[in-house]
Amino acid sequence: MLVQEILKLKGNVLYTTHSGASLSEAVAALTEHDAGSLVVMDAGEMTGLITFREVLQAVGKTKGDLSAMTVSDFKVAQPVVARPDMPIEAVRELLVNHHQRYVPVMDGKVLMGVVSFMDVAKAVLEEQGFENRMLKNFIKNWPAEDAND
C-alpha cells in the first residue's frame, strides 16, 4: 500500500495554521477538529508542523501561560516529510526513526495531506487482514489429493 492510497481513504481534510497565530489559537483549532497536528502554512508554503507534543512542551516551558506564545515559537520548522508514492512500510520506518507521530505528505512543494502513525497502523492492519482472507480462501480451495492414487 502506498501513502497516496491512505490519503484517498482519509479524504481531503487538512487543518492548517500560520506562524503568527497564537499558540492558544492553535490549541483551540486542534481541540475543535479533534486533530493531533496542524500544518503551518505561510505565503502558500509549508513552513512547519505543530502537534500536541509541541503544545505540551510550551505548557511546560511557560508554566501554562500561552498568552504571549506564537506557533512560530514552538513549531517543528523542518518536519520529516513523506512522498505520495512511498510504500507504507517506508513511512512507518520514517515515523519510528524520527520519533514523529505525524508526517506531512509532499508532492514536490505541494502539500497533499498529513499521515499519522494511527493511519499507518490502520492501513497495515487492513492490508494484513486482506492477505489473511486471501490465504485462507486459497487454503480452503486447495485441490484435495485423490485418496486412490
Side-chain angles (χ1 to χ4, degrees), residues 111-128:
L111 176 65
M112 305 299 293
V114 175
V115 173
S116 71
F117 197 83
M118 183 66 79
D119 297 330
V120 171
K122 185 177 176 183
V124 168
L125 284 174
E126 287 177 12
E127 193 170 56
Q128 287 175 343

Side-chain angles (χ1 to χ4, degrees), residues 25-47:
E25 290 172 324
V27 169
L30 288 167
T31 304
E32 176 185 343
H33 301 297
D34 191 26
S37 68
L38 298 172
V39 178
V40 182
M41 300 290 290
D42 295 305
E45 290 192 22
M46 183 184 75
T47 60

Side-chain angles (χ1 to χ4, degrees), residues 3-50:
V3 171
Q4 60 198 6
E5 295 172 75
I6 293 175
L7 290 176
K8 283 180 189 173
L9 293 173
K10 285 185 68 168
N12 296 345
V13 177
L14 187 61
Y15 302 114
T16 64
T17 187
H18 59 91
S19 292
S22 73
L23 204 51
S24 296
E25 290 172 324
V27 169
L30 288 167
T31 304
E32 176 185 343
H33 301 297
D34 191 26
S37 68
L38 298 172
V39 178
V40 182
M41 300 290 290
D42 295 305
E45 290 192 22
M46 183 184 75
T47 60
L49 186 70
I50 190 147

Side-chain angles (χ1 to χ4, degrees), residues 55-132:
V55 171
L56 287 175
Q57 289 171 346
V59 168
K61 185 175 181 179
T62 64
K63 308 241 187 299
D65 182 12
L66 302 179
S67 59
M69 299 290 105
T70 64
V71 167
S72 66
D73 295 327
F74 288 94
K75 72 180 180 181
V76 176
Q78 294 181 335
V80 174
V81 299
R83 295 180 322 277
D85 62 345
M86 286 179 79
I88 198 65
E89 296 83 14
V91 175
R92 181 175 51 190
E93 188 174 321
L94 190 71
L95 289 167
V96 169
N97 289 344
H98 290 89
H99 196 61
Q100 281 187 208
R101 289 181 179 92
Y102 302 91
V103 61
V105 180
M106 302 291 292
D107 189 4
K109 289 193 172 229
V110 178
L111 176 65
M112 305 299 293
V114 175
V115 173
S116 71
F117 197 83
M118 183 66 79
D119 297 330
V120 171
K122 185 177 176 183
V124 168
L125 284 174
E126 287 177 12
E127 193 170 56
Q128 287 175 343
F130 174 75
E131 288 174 0
N132 284 341

